Amino acid sequence: MKYEKILDNIRQKAAQIKRPLRFMELCGTHAEAISKHGIKSLMPENIKLITGPGCPVCVTDQEDIDIIVGLAIAGISVVCYGDAVGVPGNLGSLEEARRNGSDVRMVYDVSEIVETHCNASLRKGKSNLVFWGLGFETTTPATAWAVAQGLTVFSSHKIFPPAMEILLKNKDVKIDGFINPGHVSTIIGTQIYKQFKIPQVVAGFEAMDVLRAVDMLLDQIISGKTEVQNEYTRLVKKEGNKKALKLINDTFEIVDSKWRGLGVIKKAGLKLKKKYQARDAEYIYRDIIKDIKSKIKPKYNACRCGEVLQGMIESRECPLFGKICTPDSPQGACMVSTEGSCNIEYRYEK
Amino acid sequence: MSSMKGRWRGWHGIKNNLDKKDMCLAIPGKILRIKNQLATVDFNGIQKEVNISLVDIKVGEYVMVHAGFAIDKMDDNYVDELKSYEI
């Protein structure tokens, strides 16, 4: 379907519905696609696209950041994905720790470190290198694979659907439909979303995918349905990726988890199972971590990342945005990651 | 429609994307060779080793690659679909 045609459809359907509608996307890559292609500006007046807690770096709790930075400062080698190194914590960021002499390495792919370090260190039988496992269901299987290869992991992994439930319960956030994350859904499938009685479309990341998702959400609203539709059929299957899910279940146990902005969410985090205790940084370095936690003095920060993550305010409504908080000098997580809504808004819309 | 920049414009930027180390980046590619858990994947000219332990895949098929891992197989007709995103 051509762009003009689908935009016409969206305009007609929005006019038919009349009332204001707020659709929330739940993935940083969707936020990026929407900004990059100027999709918000193409929407009819009564459709507002809002950003949810879909950036894993952004929703990672301050305490996890402080612990991992503390471990790096304590002399333990820390390996992580590139977008996590700049997140500021009470002890500074991993990047600052690196500049001060700590061993902090970035990878695009955890197997890079498994290849170069893990096998050699296994032969020596000792390793003081920790991989910071971060992300939703899309990166969790890779971490699980790395654990199986013998890598030591500090897990900040999160499970996405429980956060959707919290958003729906928040009376300060009005949501008329979700654009569900395409690549998280590749792993977890589409059926798990059925528990949420709200129009939902699992969507891909091209401009056309997002427009089709909006069109499908409008169809659901007009017909009074609350279904889970799959727009991203070229990749996402109903049952998800069973191999990846099995690997996750074998390696991790589900725990309550603190999310930035959303607080503690029941059954929304993943920690290593006891059988992998010997590879669990939280167990191995428990004394150092206890020490780090006791010494943390939270600094006051006017950053409103927590509200941005719930779609309660837009990035530009934060007093720090674009003034003292920029991608070069981020004051909060949402400005650090290229998937963070403040970073995206700064790059494309400021 | 000058503000609409989203049409499929080939594979520009993929090299840049592969050089970045951001975790949430996903790129589709074609399987060229398979050796145990690793496959050589072609991202339209740029080849990279990808871990395929999460998928059942054959040479010639397309996968979505996320943080160095193929997270699932893509429909064979997906390239045609992407190319159809013309304004």
Side-chain angles (χ1 to χ4, degrees):
Chain A
M1 200 187 293
K2 305 279 185 200
Y3 282 115
E4 285 90 342
K5 176 89 174 101
I6 197 158
L7 282 167
D8 272 350
N9 285 349
I10 288 172
R11 284 186 203 109
Q12 281 171 20
K13 287 168 190 172
Q16 193 183 333
I17 296 168
K18 290 182 185 118
R19 69 185 169 88
L21 297 168
R22 285 160 58 93
F23 296 145
M24 180 180 269
E25 45 74 12
L26 298 162
C27 177
T29 314
H30 277 140
E32 168 105 17
I34 288 167
S35 286
K36 186 165 78 180
H37 301 300
I39 292 176
K40 279 183 191 171
S41 66
L42 298 171
M43 289 293 112
E45 250 180 39
N46 61 331
I47 297 182
K48 198 167 162 88
L49 299 179
I50 56 171
T51 299
C55 161
V57 174
C58 306
V59 297
T60 299
D61 182 45
Q62 203 66 49
E63 187 177 275
D64 281 14
I65 294 159
D66 291 340
I67 289 170
I68 203 78
V69 174
L71 288 176
I73 293 170
I76 292 148
S77 303
V78 171
V79 179
C80 68
Y81 294 120
D83 35 6
V85 293
V87 188
N90 294 303
L91 301 169
S93 65
L94 279 175
E95 174 58 24
E96 283 164 338
R98 190 189 64 78
R99 269 187 254 145
N100 291 326
S102 297
D103 182 15
V104 176
R105 306 176 211 174
M106 282 183 276
V107 290
Y108 162 68
D109 166 2
V110 66
S111 28
E112 291 170 34
I113 204 70
V114 169
E115 283 160 23
T116 57
H117 174 86
C118 200
N119 293 339
S121 73
L122 273 178
R123 280 196 293 274
K124 288 177 202 159
K126 206 179 166 191
S127 161
N128 73 337
L129 180 141
V130 171
F131 174 68
W132 187 14
L134 191 72
F136 302 126
E137 289 85 340
T138 357
T139 50
T140 313
T143 305
W145 176 85
V147 170
Q149 309 304 309
L151 200 68
T152 300
V153 165
F154 180 82
S155 172
S156 295
H157 282 293
K158 293 194 168 15
I159 301 175
F160 202 76
M164 295 166 72
E165 191 180 354
I166 297 294
L167 287 166
L168 290 174
K169 281 181 183 165
N170 185 342
K171 298 235 171 353
D172 295 328
V173 190
K174 187 184 166 294
I175 304 164
D176 297 286
F178 280 132
I179 299 174
N180 289 356
H183 294 143
V184 164
S185 307
T186 305
I187 305 295
I188 66 176
T190 58
Q191 298 306 291
I192 192 162
Y193 301 119
K194 280 192 164 177
Q195 57 185 304
F196 309 122
K197 302 298 167 205
I198 181 168
Q200 296 169 77
V201 176
V202 175
F205 299 96
E206 298 296 326
M208 185 54 108
D209 290 317
V210 176
L211 293 178
R212 279 201 293 225
V214 170
D215 190 45
M216 289 160 89
L217 286 171
L218 291 170
D219 280 339
Q220 288 197 41
I221 288 170
I222 289 171
S223 60
K225 288 179 182 160
T226 53
E227 288 176 344
V228 182
Q229 286 179 291
N230 185 5
E231 185 276 336
Y232 202 20
T233 50
R234 62 186 187 273
L235 187 67
V236 174
K237 284 131 195 132
K238 196 175 171 183
E239 68 282 1
N241 180 333
K242 286 181 181 166
K243 241 178 160 174
L245 285 172
K246 186 175 182 305
L247 193 57
I248 294 174
N249 292 335
D250 284 349
T251 312
F252 293 98
E253 62 175 315
I254 299 170
V255 296
D256 298 347
S257 170
K258 197 168 176 193
W259 291 46
R260 188 192 298 268
L262 301 173
V264 176
I265 306 180
K266 284 211 160 77
K267 297 181 181 175
L270 292 168
K271 292 289 178 193
L272 261 65
K273 282 191 170 168
K274 211 168 180 183
K275 64 178 173 180
Y276 290 114
Q277 209 168 47
R279 293 164 202 175
D280 186 353
E282 278 189 63
Y283 178 75
I284 300 169
Y285 302 113
R286 58 192 179 281
D287 294 335
I288 302 177
I289 291 172
K290 202 174 159 192
D291 191 46
I292 295 168
K293 281 187 186 173
S294 70
K295 285 181 184 159
I296 291 169
K297 290 188 185 76
K299 291 179 195 158
Y300 171 74
N301 191 342
C303 166
R304 294 178 73 184
C305 199
E307 290 155 275
V308 172
L309 286 169
Q310 297 174 81
M312 291 163 75
I313 63 163
E314 289 190 41
S315 299
R316 64 187 68 229
E317 292 176 61
C318 173
L320 307 184
F321 179 78
K323 296 186 181 83
I324 65 163
C325 186
T326 65
D328 289 332
S329 170
Q331 303 299 307
C334 297
M335 189 58 97
V336 176
S337 171
T338 50
E339 299 267 320
S341 40
C342 298
N343 183 295
I344 292 169
E345 188 149 328
Y346 188 90
R347 281 185 290 127
Y348 290 108
E349 293 175 41
K350 189 174 181 292
Chain B
M1 200 176 297
S2 59
S3 63
M4 175 56 74
K5 296 172 185 166
R7 71 188 170 87
W8 172 248
R9 288 176 293 180
W11 300 83
H12 305 305
I14 284 179
K15 174 74 172 66
N16 282 343
N17 286 342
L18 285 175
D19 287 343
K20 280 164 71 178
K21 292 185 183 292
D22 292 353
M23 62 196 285
C24 289
L25 188 74
I27 311 171
K30 187 179 183 180
I31 303 279
L32 295 181
R33 290 181 292 279
I34 294 175
K35 194 179 173 190
N36 303 325
Q37 288 191 329
L38 285 178
T40 306
V41 176
D42 175 43
F43 300 98
N44 203 40
I46 296 160
Q47 293 179 11
K48 200 172 158 61
E49 296 270 286
V50 164
N51 189 309
I52 51 163
S53 57
L54 304 176
V55 292
D56 295 314
I57 197 84
K58 294 195 287 283
V59 169
E61 291 182 323
Y62 284 86
V63 285
M64 183 60 82
V65 178
H66 189 283
F69 282 70
I71 56 169
D72 220 332
K73 189 175 124 175
M74 296 202 77
D75 271 1
D76 295 340
N77 59 355
Y78 95 101
V79 175
D80 294 337
E81 188 181 346
L82 288 177
K83 281 179 181 164
S84 73
Y85 291 177
E86 297 292 336
I87 294 173

